[in-house]
Amino acid sequence: MSAVMSPSSSTDTAWRELHEAATVPYKKGGSFAWHFARGKLGRDPVFRGLLERGLIGAQHRRVVDIGCGQGLFASLLASMSVMQKQGRWPASWAATPERADYTGIELMPKDVARAEASIGHLLPAPRLLCADMCSANLPDCDLVVILDVLHYVDLEAQEGVLVRVRDALRRGGNPQARLLLRVGDASSRRGFAISQWVDRTVTRIRGHKVSPTWGRPLAEWTALLQRLGFRVQSMPMSEGTPFANVLLVADLDPAA
């Protein structure tokens, strides 16, 4: 009698395959790029969480990744597309874009260089911009992803970025347009302090200057997004870590 694979076993297998496929390209970018990609994708719960919660839909084809680093999300999107085309996508996971049109925005030239060396060959070719998120032109889009970078600018600049994100999503014309924003909840003092310390440490390891940071309590993040015309759900996104990270799923409110 053949063994029947449980849903959890099926998704574990699929995730291992995705992890391998999405990180292999970083061997082209050198040892640091490869080891960083494997560690980030393997230890950060947000990437698998996005899949298992169905937060990236097939309708989210035009993707803007703000603070993209070395473009790991672009590689993951490409690997997900291949797995679906080959018929190995778990039934419990919602379909993701068949062919993502990806724009990554990153301030740090070293990260952009690693991204170009590692994933520049992907098709369709990702657009990788070395630019400041506070002033970079944002293309019309269906999905914006901002993971753990908005706290690098002050409160006024944070709102400015979010206003421009909202406008880019509106111009895209997709009624299911979405922002995925992960932030630290400053009201959880211990977890927030730990996440800030780790963030500064990783920034140094990546060869970058450590900048001041500005946080907000979760209630303030939610209120800001609602004021800008988003419907907001908050999801804890620190599983297996000591951090106070929260993923805000912000959908444009058609009535706003």
Side-chain angles (χ1 to χ4, degrees), residues 230-247:
F230 289 96
R231 302 187 309 273
V232 184
Q233 303 176 63
S234 62
M235 302 179 179
M237 199 54 70
S238 301
E239 185 178 357
T241 76
F243 308 142
N245 291 334
V246 178
L247 183 70

PDB file of all heavy atoms in Angstrom, residues 230-247:
ATOM      1  N   PHE A 230      -7.020  52.541   3.419  1.00  0.00           N
ATOM      2  CA  PHE A 230      -6.820  51.096   3.381  1.00  0.00           C
ATOM      3  C   PHE A 230      -7.718  50.405   4.408  1.00  0.00           C
ATOM      4  O   PHE A 230      -7.976  50.942   5.490  1.00  0.00           O
ATOM      5  CB  PHE A 230      -5.363  50.735   3.709  1.00  0.00           C
ATOM      6  CG  PHE A 230      -4.360  51.086   2.655  1.00  0.00           C
ATOM      7  CD1 PHE A 230      -3.644  52.278   2.731  1.00  0.00           C
ATOM      8  CD2 PHE A 230      -4.125  50.235   1.584  1.00  0.00           C
ATOM      9  CE1 PHE A 230      -2.704  52.599   1.768  1.00  0.00           C
ATOM     10  CE2 PHE A 230      -3.183  50.546   0.612  1.00  0.00           C
ATOM     11  CZ  PHE A 230      -2.473  51.743   0.701  1.00  0.00           C
ATOM     12  N   ARG A 231      -8.159  49.198   4.065  1.00  0.00           N
ATOM     13  CA  ARG A 231      -8.737  48.278   5.045  1.00  0.00           C
ATOM     14  C   ARG A 231      -7.591  47.418   5.549  1.00  0.00           C
ATOM     15  O   ARG A 231      -6.827  46.859   4.744  1.00  0.00           O
ATOM     16  CB  ARG A 231      -9.815  47.392   4.425  1.00  0.00           C
ATOM     17  CG  ARG A 231     -10.968  48.157   3.802  1.00  0.00           C
ATOM     18  CD  ARG A 231     -12.087  47.203   3.371  1.00  0.00           C
ATOM     19  NE  ARG A 231     -11.581  46.112   2.548  1.00  0.00           N
ATOM     20  CZ  ARG A 231     -11.432  46.160   1.229  1.00  0.00           C
ATOM     21  NH1 ARG A 231     -11.731  47.263   0.578  1.00  0.00           N
ATOM     22  NH2 ARG A 231     -10.988  45.118   0.557  1.00  0.00           N
ATOM     23  N   VAL A 232      -7.480  47.263   6.859  1.00  0.00           N
ATOM     24  CA  VAL A 232      -6.260  46.693   7.426  1.00  0.00           C
ATOM     25  C   VAL A 232      -6.554  45.461   8.284  1.00  0.00           C
ATOM     26  O   VAL A 232      -7.459  45.469   9.120  1.00  0.00           O
ATOM     27  CB  VAL A 232      -5.512  47.738   8.284  1.00  0.00           C
ATOM     28  CG1 VAL A 232      -4.188  47.164   8.784  1.00  0.00           C
ATOM     29  CG2 VAL A 232      -5.270  49.022   7.488  1.00  0.00           C
ATOM     30  N   GLN A 233      -5.789  44.404   8.046  1.00  0.00           N
ATOM     31  CA  GLN A 233      -5.737  43.249   8.948  1.00  0.00           C
ATOM     32  C   GLN A 233      -4.317  43.153   9.489  1.00  0.00           C
ATOM     33  O   GLN A 233      -3.356  43.364   8.748  1.00  0.00           O
ATOM     34  CB  GLN A 233      -6.042  41.949   8.212  1.00  0.00           C
ATOM     35  CG  GLN A 233      -7.352  41.868   7.490  1.00  0.00           C
ATOM     36  CD  GLN A 233      -7.442  40.555   6.726  1.00  0.00           C
ATOM     37  OE1 GLN A 233      -7.431  39.461   7.315  1.00  0.00           O
ATOM     38  NE2 GLN A 233      -7.513  40.631   5.406  1.00  0.00           N
ATOM     39  N   SER A 234      -4.184  42.820  10.760  1.00  0.00           N
ATOM     40  CA  SER A 234      -2.853  42.632  11.328  1.00  0.00           C
ATOM     41  C   SER A 234      -2.652  41.164  11.670  1.00  0.00           C
ATOM     42  O   SER A 234      -3.560  40.503  12.184  1.00  0.00           O
ATOM     43  CB  SER A 234      -2.659  43.499  12.572  1.00  0.00           C
ATOM     44  OG  SER A 234      -3.564  43.145  13.581  1.00  0.00           O
ATOM     45  N   MET A 235      -1.464  40.663  11.364  1.00  0.00           N
ATOM     46  CA  MET A 235      -1.124  39.267  11.618  1.00  0.00           C
ATOM     47  C   MET A 235       0.241  39.205  12.283  1.00  0.00           C
ATOM     48  O   MET A 235       1.204  39.775  11.757  1.00  0.00           O
ATOM     49  CB  MET A 235      -1.065  38.483  10.303  1.00  0.00           C
ATOM     50  CG  MET A 235      -2.339  38.501   9.509  1.00  0.00           C
ATOM     51  SD  MET A 235      -2.150  37.575   7.942  1.00  0.00           S
ATOM     52  CE  MET A 235      -3.810  37.769   7.274  1.00  0.00           C
ATOM     53  N   PRO A 236       0.361  38.532  13.427  1.00  0.00           N
ATOM     54  CA  PRO A 236       1.688  38.348  14.016  1.00  0.00           C
ATOM     55  C   PRO A 236       2.610  37.657  13.008  1.00  0.00           C
ATOM     56  O   PRO A 236       2.187  36.729  12.320  1.00  0.00           O
ATOM     57  CB  PRO A 236       1.421  37.455  15.230  1.00  0.00           C
ATOM     58  CG  PRO A 236      -0.037  37.640  15.533  1.00  0.00           C
ATOM     59  CD  PRO A 236      -0.702  37.867  14.210  1.00  0.00           C
ATOM     60  N   MET A 237       3.834  38.131  12.907  1.00  0.00           N
ATOM     61  CA  MET A 237       4.752  37.542  11.938  1.00  0.00           C
ATOM     62  C   MET A 237       6.148  37.462  12.531  1.00  0.00           C
ATOM     63  O   MET A 237       7.129  37.948  11.988  1.00  0.00           O
ATOM     64  CB  MET A 237       4.751  38.357  10.644  1.00  0.00           C
ATOM     65  CG  MET A 237       5.300  37.618   9.433  1.00  0.00           C
ATOM     66  SD  MET A 237       4.511  36.018   9.085  1.00  0.00           S
ATOM     67  CE  MET A 237       2.878  36.535   8.529  1.00  0.00           C
ATOM     68  N   SER A 238       6.207  36.816  13.731  1.00  0.00           N
ATOM     69  CA  SER A 238       7.480  36.633  14.418  1.00  0.00           C
ATOM     70  C   SER A 238       7.659  35.197  14.892  1.00  0.00           C
ATOM     71  O   SER A 238       8.499  34.927  15.741  1.00  0.00           O
ATOM     72  CB  SER A 238       7.565  37.568  15.632  1.00  0.00           C
ATOM     73  OG  SER A 238       7.447  38.906  15.269  1.00  0.00           O
ATOM     74  N   GLU A 239       6.857  34.286  14.353  1.00  0.00           N
ATOM     75  CA  GLU A 239       6.872  32.908  14.846  1.00  0.00           C
ATOM     76  C   GLU A 239       8.280  32.337  14.830  1.00  0.00           C
ATOM     77  O   GLU A 239       8.999  32.416  13.833  1.00  0.00           O
ATOM     78  CB  GLU A 239       5.954  32.040  13.989  1.00  0.00           C
ATOM     79  CG  GLU A 239       5.820  30.609  14.505  1.00  0.00           C
ATOM     80  CD  GLU A 239       4.864  29.783  13.666  1.00  0.00           C
ATOM     81  OE1 GLU A 239       4.277  30.337  12.723  1.00  0.00           O
ATOM     82  OE2 GLU A 239       4.727  28.596  13.968  1.00  0.00           O
ATOM     83  N   GLY A 240       8.675  31.787  15.968  1.00  0.00           N
ATOM     84  CA  GLY A 240       9.997  31.189  16.076  1.00  0.00           C
ATOM     85  C   GLY A 240      11.109  32.193  16.331  1.00  0.00           C
ATOM     86  O   GLY A 240      12.278  31.827  16.348  1.00  0.00           O
ATOM     87  N   THR A 241      10.754  33.456  16.549  1.00  0.00           N
ATOM     88  CA  THR A 241      11.744  34.500  16.814  1.00  0.00           C
ATOM     89  C   THR A 241      11.323  35.272  18.060  1.00  0.00           C
ATOM     90  O   THR A 241      10.165  35.207  18.479  1.00  0.00           O
ATOM     91  CB  THR A 241      11.859  35.487  15.635  1.00  0.00           C
ATOM     92  OG1 THR A 241      10.717  36.378  15.651  1.00  0.00           O
ATOM     93  CG2 THR A 241      11.907  34.759  14.308  1.00  0.00           C
ATOM     94  N   PRO A 242      12.238  36.048  18.665  1.00  0.00           N
ATOM     95  CA  PRO A 242      11.875  36.836  19.844  1.00  0.00           C
ATOM     96  C   PRO A 242      11.380  38.239  19.488  1.00  0.00           C
ATOM     97  O   PRO A 242      11.249  39.089  20.356  1.00  0.00           O
ATOM     98  CB  PRO A 242      13.208  36.925  20.597  1.00  0.00           C
ATOM     99  CG  PRO A 242      14.235  36.933  19.512  1.00  0.00           C
ATOM    100  CD  PRO A 242      13.696  36.045  18.426  1.00  0.00           C
ATOM    101  N   PHE A 243      11.074  38.485  18.213  1.00  0.00           N
ATOM    102  CA  PHE A 243      10.759  39.830  17.764  1.00  0.00           C
ATOM    103  C   PHE A 243       9.288  40.189  17.998  1.00  0.00           C
ATOM    104  O   PHE A 243       8.484  39.347  18.380  1.00  0.00           O
ATOM    105  CB  PHE A 243      11.096  39.994  16.283  1.00  0.00           C
ATOM    106  CG  PHE A 243      12.505  39.572  15.946  1.00  0.00           C
ATOM    107  CD1 PHE A 243      12.775  38.906  14.758  1.00  0.00           C
ATOM    108  CD2 PHE A 243      13.551  39.820  16.811  1.00  0.00           C
ATOM    109  CE1 PHE A 243      14.073  38.514  14.438  1.00  0.00           C
ATOM    110  CE2 PHE A 243      14.852  39.435  16.503  1.00  0.00           C
ATOM    111  CZ  PHE A 243      15.107  38.771  15.305  1.00  0.00           C
ATOM    112  N   ALA A 244       8.962  41.452  17.725  1.00  0.00           N
ATOM    113  CA  ALA A 244       7.582  41.936  17.842  1.00  0.00           C
ATOM    114  C   ALA A 244       7.082  42.379  16.474  1.00  0.00           C
ATOM    115  O   ALA A 244       6.452  43.425  16.326  1.00  0.00           O
ATOM    116  CB  ALA A 244       7.516  43.095  18.837  1.00  0.00           C
ATOM    117  N   ASN A 245       7.377  41.583  15.464  1.00  0.00           N
ATOM    118  CA  ASN A 245       7.004  41.936  14.104  1.00  0.00           C
ATOM    119  C   ASN A 245       5.546  41.594  13.814  1.00  0.00           C
ATOM    120  O   ASN A 245       5.045  40.546  14.220  1.00  0.00           O
ATOM    121  CB  ASN A 245       7.903  41.213  13.095  1.00  0.00           C
ATOM    122  CG  ASN A 245       9.325  41.726  13.138  1.00  0.00           C
ATOM    123  OD1 ASN A 245       9.561  42.861  13.514  1.00  0.00           O
ATOM    124  ND2 ASN A 245      10.266  40.879  12.755  1.00  0.00           N
ATOM    125  N   VAL A 246       4.909  42.488  13.068  1.00  0.00           N
ATOM    126  CA  VAL A 246       3.511  42.300  12.684  1.00  0.00           C
ATOM    127  C   VAL A 246       3.381  42.577  11.188  1.00  0.00           C
ATOM    128  O   VAL A 246       3.976  43.539  10.676  1.00  0.00           O
ATOM    129  CB  VAL A 246       2.581  43.262  13.459  1.00  0.00           C
ATOM    130  CG1 VAL A 246       1.130  43.087  13.012  1.00  0.00           C
ATOM    131  CG2 VAL A 246       2.701  43.027  14.962  1.00  0.00           C
ATOM    132  N   LEU A 247       2.651  41.722  10.488  1.00  0.00           N
ATOM    133  CA  LEU A 247       2.373  41.948   9.075  1.00  0.00           C
ATOM    134  C   LEU A 247       1.025  42.626   8.965  1.00  0.00           C
ATOM    135  O   LEU A 247       0.012  42.121   9.447  1.00  0.00           O
ATOM    136  CB  LEU A 247       2.358  40.630   8.314  1.00  0.00           C
ATOM    137  CG  LEU A 247       2.140  40.779   6.805  1.00  0.00           C
ATOM    138  CD1 LEU A 247       3.368  41.406   6.145  1.00  0.00           C
ATOM    139  CD2 LEU A 247       1.819  39.431   6.162  1.00  0.00           C
TER     140      LEU A 247
END
